[in-house]
Structures are given as C-alpha cells and as structure tokens.
Amino acid sequence: TLTEELAKRAALALDNARLFSEAQRLNTELEERVLKRTHQLQRTNLRLSKEIEDRKLVEEKYRELNVDLEERVMERTRQLENANQNLQNEIFERELADNALRASLQKTYELYEISQSMGLINNPDELLPLLLSSSLLKSVARASVAVFDQVWRKDGPVPAFCTILTAWNKQP
C-alpha cells in the first residue's frame, strides 16, 4: 500500500530524474550540434560571399578586358583600313606612272623609228610627210621645218643659208 505507493512514486521520481537528466544531456548535445552546424554555415556563408565577390571582380575585369579588346580591334581595323587605302592609292599612282612610262616609251620608240627613217631621206621635201605621219603629230594641222646648210651650234655663228619647208597634215 503505502510502501508500494511510495515505491512507485520513488521509482517514478527516479525515472523522471533519469529522463530529465537524459533530456538535459540531449538538449545540450543538440545545442552543441546546432552551434557546430551554425559555425559551419557561417564559414560556408563567408566562403560563398568571398566567392561571389571574387566572381564579381572577375566579371568586372572581364568586361573591362572585353571593352579594351573591342577598342583595340576597332583601332587595328582603322589602321588596316588606312593601310589598305594607302596601298590602293599607291597602286593607282603606280598604274598612272606605269601608263605614263609606257606612253613615254612608245613615244621614244616612235621618235627612234622616225630618226631612223630620217637617216634614209634623200630629199628635204620627204621630211615633212614623214614627220606628219607620226602619231605624235596627228593633231597638228601644219608643220614647218628649217633646214640649214650647216650645223648651228649654240655659241657658234648663225648658218648662212636656211630653207623653210611647210606642209599641211592631211589627217585632221
């Protein structure tokens, strides 16, 4: 009865004390685990924050490098366009010079041919038709030639005798 009841209550009190002690131990253990996990999460958070900051810095550097690269590409493109234009101008100038040189060579060759033909002339009257047949004188309407009896030197005396020949170009 009473002893049994006291024994039951004492057993219940001991059981409650053991459960309370166990609950406190589990609570302490849980708090330690929560604290440990909180520290882990804080460290991970700091690491992630650092990574995010690093990535932002890298992205900014990437943007700056990209802008710099684009500027360098544009500058190099301008340089190449200028160089290309200069080369095209040089090609055009060389073609003009080449054409002028060819024309000059053609004229020189024709003058050479005329001078060779002049050496074969027996009569001064044959000289003007030969000269007027030249492509260099196609646009000339009339030609005159003075034929001296001797060579007229720059600082020498004027030749005593001169014949002037005149002819009209038959090809206007």
Side-chain angles (χ1 to χ4, degrees):
T1 36
L2 184 61
T3 330
E4 284 178 359
E5 186 65 29
L6 282 172
K8 277 184 187 179
R9 284 186 179 202
L12 187 62
L14 285 174
D15 200 32
N16 280 342
R18 186 187 56 78
L19 286 174
F20 180 75
S21 175
E22 181 71 19
Q24 279 186 325
R25 184 187 61 77
L26 289 173
N27 194 27
T28 303
E29 188 179 302
L30 183 59
E31 282 185 25
E32 287 174 2
R33 286 175 53 197
V34 165
L35 216 75
K36 183 179 176 184
R37 185 66 181 144
T38 301
H39 284 14
Q40 287 175 343
L41 289 173
Q42 286 174 340
R43 283 193 307 267
T44 302
N45 242 359
L46 285 173
R47 186 177 49 84
L48 289 174
S49 294
K50 176 83 170 103
E51 281 183 23
I52 289 170
E53 189 63 33
D54 289 348
R55 283 186 184 194
K56 285 180 181 178
L57 290 173
V58 167
E59 286 174 2
E60 181 60 30
K61 185 68 174 172
Y62 174 77
R63 277 195 228 52
E64 290 172 5
L65 289 173
N66 199 21
V67 166
D68 182 51
L69 180 62
E70 286 179 21
E71 289 173 358
R72 289 172 52 200
V73 165
M74 288 172 48
E75 176 62 27
R76 185 65 179 140
T77 300
R78 278 192 295 272
Q79 290 174 352
L80 290 173
E81 286 172 347
N82 288 341
N84 191 26
Q85 185 62 44
N86 290 341
L87 288 173
Q88 287 180 356
N89 290 343
E90 187 176 332
I91 288 170
F92 178 73
E93 290 171 5
R94 286 182 182 211
E95 285 174 349
L96 289 178
D98 185 53
N99 290 341
L101 183 59
R102 286 179 194 276
S104 177
L105 283 173
Q106 180 63 32
K107 288 176 184 178
T108 302
Y109 178 74
E110 190 167 342
L111 289 173
Y112 171 77
E113 291 292 321
I114 290 172
S115 71
Q116 293 297 314
S117 298
M118 287 172 64
L120 302 174
I121 291 177
N122 297 322
N123 181 338
D125 291 331
E126 297 172 3
L127 180 60
L128 281 175
L130 174 67
L131 292 175
L132 289 173
S133 71
S134 165
S135 68
L136 300 174
L137 299 176
K138 288 253 190 251
S139 62
V140 174
R142 184 180 119 189
S144 298
V145 174
V147 180
F148 296 100
D149 63 339
Q150 65 184 24
V151 176
W152 187 357
R153 305 225 185 268
K154 184 176 182 180
D155 296 329
V158 176
F161 181 75
C162 173
T163 303
I164 299 203
L165 304 173
T166 303
W168 293 90
N169 195 347
K170 293 178 182 159
Q171 302 170 354

